Amino acid sequence: MGRAAEMLGVTPAFLRSLDTAHLIVPQRSPGGHRRYSRYQLRLAQRARDLVDEGTSLESACRIIILEDQLAEAQRINAQLRQDRDS
């Protein structure tokens, strides 16, 4: 967790708060250390950017979740259009 926090320029407490908010739930090593995927680190960076702009952490998490859902819906729609046109 310390390395991830350092890479993002945040505190470990910030990353724990994202876990508490269920935005990112990292895997655990056998020793119990949090392990973040690249995708989770991108979400954490997005959350940090929004918080730095003055958005509350709760709102930032909700925005990120909605953005992720929108991207997935757009991907599905594009695939359905491609399948229909084939």
Side-chain angles (χ1 to χ4, degrees):
M1 176 190 283
R3 176 106 169 100
E6 183 181 311
M7 288 171 48
L8 297 172
V10 299
T11 64
F14 180 80
L15 290 176
R16 282 191 298 273
S17 69
L18 297 178
D19 191 358
T20 301
H22 303 288
L23 178 63
I24 56 175
V25 179
Q27 297 291 316
R28 296 284 182 147
S29 72
H33 298 282
R34 289 175 173 90
R35 302 285 184 201
Y36 297 95
S37 68
R38 288 186 177 125
Y39 176 71
Q40 289 172 326
L41 291 175
R42 283 194 302 271
L43 292 180
Q45 182 63 54
R46 178 72 176 126
R48 178 184 177 227
D49 293 344
L50 288 168
V51 169
D52 286 351
E53 293 171 5
T55 306
S56 72
L57 182 62
E58 182 181 323
S59 296
C61 291
R62 185 68 181 140
I63 289 167
I64 293 165
I65 289 167
L66 290 170
E67 287 174 340
D68 199 47
Q69 288 173 346
L70 176 60
E72 179 65 8
Q74 289 172 330
R75 185 194 66 74
I76 290 168
N77 283 339
Q79 182 64 49
L80 288 172
R81 275 191 227 107
Q82 183 180 11
D83 291 348
R84 181 193 65 201
D85 295 341
S86 297

